Amino acid sequence: MWALVVVVGIIVYEVITRRVFGSPHVWTYEIITFFYGFHFMILAAYTLLHKGHVAIDIIYIRFSPKKQAVLDLVTYLFFFFPFVIILLYVGFDNAVASWATGEKTLTARLPLVLPGMKTVTPIAALLLLLQGFSIFYRRLFFLTKGREL
Amino acid sequence: MPEFSPELLTFLMFAGVLVGLFMGHPLAFILGGLAVIFGLLGWGFSAFSMFANRIVGLMDNLILAAIPMFIFMANLLERSGVADGLFESLRYLLGPIRGGVAMAVVVVCTVFAACTGVVGASVVTMALLAMPMMLKYGYDKSLTCGTICAGGTLGILIPPSIMLVLMADQTGLSVGKLFLGGIVPGVILSCLYIGYIAFVCGRRPELGPPLSMEERAAVPVKKRLSMAAISLVPPVLLIIGVLGTIFSGIATPTEASGVGAFVALLMAIGYRRFSWKMFKDTVLSTGRTVSMVMMVLVGASCFTGVFMGVGGGQVLTDLIFTLGMGNKWLILAIMMLIVFFLGALIDWIGIIYITFPVFLPIAEKLGFDQLWFVVLLAVNLQNSFLTPPFGYALFYLKGVAPPGVTTADVYKGVVPFIALMLVGLFLCILFPGAVTYFASFID
């Protein structure tokens, strides 16, 4: 699954860079913004997997591995899951409304772009949620069984 | 649902950020999680529909689309070995002077900063490149750490800078104008660093000894000059190309960033560093960096929406005016102090999102020039990378430093440079022309 995300990331990059050299049609801008938005949202879960999100471990690393696991469980419950679940929920609502009305972009009147973009939020949130579950489960497993999964 | 006063909510929101950070959770999700918790407390469930709109606002944004491409460009340059060649030649060129290698680091950082605009890239590159070398020559550990952190941080100020792109998006000023405004303050800081290194190493040569005679003899002066020229020309051309097209209005910053990334790719091929593996690695590492930056934006955007919604902005504004006692310079000082202290805790993205909606109206009310004010904040935010406990440049440096270098060395080393940054900030306040002069040439 992550490989797919990776491939998508690469394609998106190629498309973005190529589009920029194209002739200046209005629609290219809208495609660029779409791919740029798609790119960073979808890669959020991939970045989480690789511990790429900026965090401060200056105090965290001083705790024992067990205490670190407890800290992770608490912070994921309090911060991560509420946020991601809310994103999934409101993002889904937003996307459904957009598809239902068949929203078009303001300048080039392209169909599909805006609904597509709004669909990215719930998908990214879902991927984040799955990755979050995976991390949560690993930490819980480590805490109860005393070894890494 | 119980009623909470805006003052209490404001305080609790900031306290929550601190608690989350100390617990080692990613900043993006701390901000987002707090937005959810306090959205519920202060507002109810209806607060959340705003989140979706704010995120789409970040995605459907042609200005911010320049960020991933500038980061891509930076990563390509980093891997094409531009900094290696430049450092190598400048090391020989400046080596005979006391503290010369440290100065070479600052110069490379300044040039490299102008090509990248990302702090992590330049700090890590310079640390890997220069740190073993400087320690081998007997440079003081603290001075070494301070130089690399401070120099690497220049990347965020000297254009093209992703920080200035974000600020342009937040203020409505053009990216080109902000880029022009950021050049002189960046050069001022760079000169201050070099001056400081010359001063301390001049007084105490043991901190930064010159190269030995044998080493100097190995490379003749003429060869040093030609090496420097060869390694300097391509990156400088790239900078001129990217910035020139933006300033002259030929291309939008977003287009220029895309072209810049492409040229950087060509340069990597030209330097014979290109391979498909290198390309794939670059694309992946770029993806991670971009996502890291943008997810903090997502979290911070939701956080700020809730923060302003529960009246936190008003609380902060009142606080600033009360403490400022109606004196506009005192108010300016207080705003700068707030940014400085926030800088010790959260990163620049969060600071920009939290403070801009509050500070910009205040600055406007007081009659400050908007461009000048925004660049002042950008200069001030340089500190946010260096100020302990949470200076991000420190973490990057510590992450790649050789084993003999302790956290204490790093912390001790950045102190004089933080002072120099404040001097630079003060100079920009004293001489607003440093910021506004060049920017006045374009509309």
Side-chain angles (χ1 to χ4, degrees):
Chain A
M1 184 162 88
W2 301 121
L4 180 75
V5 177
V6 174
V7 173
V8 169
I10 297 170
I11 294 169
V12 169
Y13 251 115
E14 292 189 357
V15 172
I16 290 175
T17 36
R18 207 180 313 131
R19 287 291 184 217
V20 172
F21 305 111
S23 46
H25 298 304
V26 182
W27 61 269
T28 57
Y29 291 114
E30 294 178 344
I31 299 293
I32 290 169
T33 55
F34 173 77
F35 277 107
Y36 134 82
F38 182 77
H39 176 250
F40 78 79
M41 287 298 280
I42 293 297
L43 281 178
Y46 171 76
T47 309
L48 184 67
L49 172 70
H50 287 268
K51 296 192 178 19
H53 288 294
V54 53
I56 284 147
D57 54 4
I58 188 163
I59 293 154
Y60 180 82
I61 49 170
R62 287 170 203 274
F63 289 110
S64 68
K66 284 235 152 171
K67 283 184 185 141
Q68 288 183 1
V70 175
L71 278 181
D72 282 338
L73 292 179
V74 172
T75 49
Y76 268 87
L77 276 181
F78 267 92
F79 297 118
F80 184 85
F81 287 122
F83 183 51
V84 173
I85 290 169
I86 289 291
L87 282 192
L88 181 61
Y89 179 80
V90 295
F92 186 74
D93 265 8
N94 206 24
V96 168
S98 182
W99 283 110
T101 54
E103 241 180 318
K104 288 184 174 147
T105 53
L106 285 176
T107 38
R109 306 300 301 164
L110 292 181
L112 301 181
V113 172
L114 272 180
M117 192 181 273
K118 290 183 178 176
T119 312
V120 171
T121 309
I123 294 176
L126 186 65
L127 292 175
L128 271 173
L129 193 62
L130 292 175
Q131 184 56 42
F133 277 137
S134 152
I135 292 174
F136 194 80
Y137 181 70
R138 278 163 188 269
R139 303 311 275 159
L140 201 63
F141 188 90
F142 176 72
L143 200 62
T144 50
K145 301 273 166 62
R147 57 191 167 87
E148 295 283 351
L149 186 65
Chain B
M1 189 163 292
E3 284 293 313
F4 293 98
S5 73
E7 285 81 7
L8 182 65
L9 286 176
T10 305
F11 174 75
L12 286 178
M13 283 185 88
F14 280 111
V17 175
L18 264 188
V19 172
L21 283 176
F22 276 116
M23 292 171 84
H25 200 58
L27 179 64
F29 303 114
I30 295 172
L31 292 171
L34 288 170
V36 170
I37 296 169
F38 286 92
L40 271 181
L41 283 179
W43 213 337
F45 203 76
S46 61
F48 302 138
S49 59
M50 164 183 82
F51 290 4
N53 291 328
R54 281 186 165 249
I55 291 170
V56 172
L58 286 173
M59 289 163 68
D60 189 8
N61 187 319
L62 196 57
I63 297 177
L64 294 183
I67 290 179
M69 280 178 282
F70 277 135
I71 294 178
F72 193 37
M73 180 173 106
N75 280 340
L76 281 168
L77 278 177
E78 188 197 332
R79 276 162 220 248
S80 66
V82 170
D84 305 44
L86 201 56
F87 179 64
E88 189 65 17
S89 52
L90 283 175
R91 184 163 65 86
Y92 284 110
L93 205 60
L94 297 175
I97 313 170
R98 286 174 182 174
V101 183
M103 291 179 201
V105 169
V106 177
V107 174
V108 174
C109 284
T110 309
V111 176
F112 197 53
C115 337
T116 63
V118 194
V119 167
S122 35
V123 172
V124 169
T125 310
M126 288 318 291
L128 290 174
L129 208 65
M131 212 162 178
M133 202 72 83
M134 288 172 80
L135 296 178
K136 196 181 89 191
Y137 288 143
Y139 272 63
D140 180 60
K141 275 187 212 160
S142 296
L143 181 70
T144 307
C145 296
T147 308
I148 293 173
C149 283
T153 307
L154 283 172
I156 207 77
L157 184 62
I158 298 180
S161 129
I162 58 170
M163 180 199 268
L164 294 176
V165 172
L166 181 65
M167 286 181 159
D169 178 58
Q170 282 286 294
T171 55
L173 288 164
S174 79
V175 175
K177 247 182 155 39
L178 274 173
F179 276 9
L180 278 173
I183 292 178
V184 177
V187 173
I188 290 179
L189 282 181
S190 163
C191 293
L192 282 173
Y193 300 158
I194 294 177
Y196 166 77
I197 293 166
F199 177 73
V200 291
C201 294
R203 280 187 50 193
R204 296 176 52 198
E206 74 274 13
L207 291 181
L211 290 191
S212 64
M213 277 304 173
E214 302 90 77
E215 196 143 2
R216 268 187 255 177
V219 184
V221 176
K222 207 170 155 197
K223 180 135 185 276
R224 287 179 209 163
L225 284 174
S226 65
M227 267 168 69
I230 290 169
S231 55
L232 205 57
V233 168
V236 167
L237 280 181
L238 178 68
I239 303 164
I240 294 174
V242 170
L243 294 183
T245 47
I246 297 175
F247 294 153
S248 61
I250 294 172
T252 66
T254 312
E255 288 167 328
S257 66
V259 178
F262 184 70
V263 174
L265 183 64
L266 294 183
M267 278 172 63
I269 296 170
Y271 282 111
R272 291 162 212 266
R273 295 291 184 105
F274 183 85
S275 68
W276 282 110
K277 188 183 174 306
M278 169 269 195
F279 188 61
K280 198 180 135 218
D281 288 349
T282 314
V283 168
L284 286 183
S285 74
T286 306
R288 283 196 296 272
T289 312
V290 171
S291 189
M292 182 262 276
V293 170
M294 296 307 297
M295 285 318 283
V296 176
L297 276 184
V298 166
S301 177
C302 296
F303 181 88
T304 310
V306 171
F307 179 73
M308 299 303 279
V310 299
Q314 195 57 46
V315 172
L316 213 54
T317 310
D318 290 346
L319 183 74
I320 290 167
F321 274 111
T322 314
L323 289 175
M325 295 181 295
N327 182 322
K328 76 177 196 176
W329 298 109
L330 198 55
I331 293 175
L332 180 70
I334 290 167
M335 288 194 280
M336 290 298 155
L337 269 180
I338 291 178
V339 171
F340 183 80
F341 282 114
L342 279 179
L345 301 174
I346 55 180
D347 76 339
W348 57 274
I349 305 166
I351 296 174
I352 291 176
Y353 262 79
I354 293 167
T355 60
F356 269 39
V358 180
F359 285 5
L360 289 180
I362 296 179
E364 204 186 334
K365 210 167 166 184
L366 296 174
F368 291 130
D369 180 70
Q370 199 187 22
L371 174 75
W372 174 71
F373 184 71
V374 169
V375 174
L376 284 189
L377 289 177
V379 175
N380 196 350
L381 280 173
Q382 293 270 302
N383 283 304
S384 75
F385 294 98
L386 297 197
T387 39
F390 300 147
Y392 290 85
L394 310 178
F395 297 133
Y396 288 125
L397 182 72
K398 191 69 188 60
V400 293
V405 178
T406 63
T407 311
D409 290 327
V410 182
Y411 280 2
K412 207 175 111 203
V414 294
V415 173
F417 288 94
I418 293 174
L420 290 174
M421 284 175 181
L422 292 177
V423 171
L425 177 65
F426 195 65
L427 285 175
C428 293
I429 295 176
L430 227 49
F431 305 105
V435 177
T436 52
Y437 180 71
F438 285 105
S440 62
F441 289 124
I442 61 164
D443 308 307

